[in-house]
Structures are given as structure tokens and as C-alpha cells.
Amino acid sequence: MLDHLFRPMDFQGQKLAELLMVRLLVIAAAISWIVGFLCKDFKLMVQICGAALALTSLVVLPAWPFYSRNPLNWLPNLDVADQKK
């Protein structure tokens, strides 16, 4: 499980993680506000927001394998001694 925390994430994966984070939190905030308003319960609204934050953190923070679908192809290292010749 700890491998997911240290796996490199590519640029497309970072974009996807940000998109998921924003969408999940906005949807959860809207749902929690509506439920809190209809039930007239501020505590319930905050609990729903907290649960959504925990779920979003679980989805976004670890570098899951689907965030590394487009790895970068780096150029090979150049040997400085070969360039001086």
C-alpha cells in the first residue's frame, strides 16, 4: 500500500487528480448544503462535508496507478567527457 504514496505521477495524472478533487468537493458541498438546509441541521452538513473531504483525499492523495498512464520519456544522460573530445 505504501508504494502508491511514492509512485511518480505524470502531468496528465496531476491534471486528472486536480479535476477529480474540484468536482468531488463541489458536488459534495452542494449536496451537503441541500441536505443541511432541508433537514435544518448544520452539524449534519458539516459531517457530510467532512466525509466527502476524507473520501476525496483517499481518491486524490495516493498516486494510484491510473495517475501514471502517460510517463515522460526523458533523454539519456550525456557524458561530459565525450562532449569535450
Side-chain angles (χ1 to χ4, degrees), residues 12-50:
Q12 295 297 323
Q14 290 175 3
K15 184 177 178 181
L16 177 62
E18 181 183 6
L19 183 71
L20 283 172
M21 178 192 68
V22 170
R23 288 188 179 177
L24 287 173
L25 290 178
V26 168
I27 290 169
I31 290 172
S32 68
W33 185 84
I34 290 169
V35 170
F37 181 78
L38 293 176
C39 295
K40 295 179 176 45
D41 191 357
F42 184 76
K43 182 180 177 183
L44 179 62
M45 181 184 75
V46 171
Q47 288 174 341
I48 292 172
C49 274

Side-chain angles (χ1 to χ4, degrees), residues 36-76:
F37 181 78
L38 293 176
C39 295
K40 295 179 176 45
D41 191 357
F42 184 76
K43 182 180 177 183
L44 179 62
M45 181 184 75
V46 171
Q47 288 174 341
I48 292 172
C49 274
L53 180 64
L55 177 67
T56 301
S57 297
L58 184 64
V59 169
V60 173
L61 289 180
W64 299 107
F66 63 89
Y67 291 136
S68 300
R69 289 184 185 163
N70 304 308
L72 292 175
N73 294 324
W74 296 96
L75 294 175

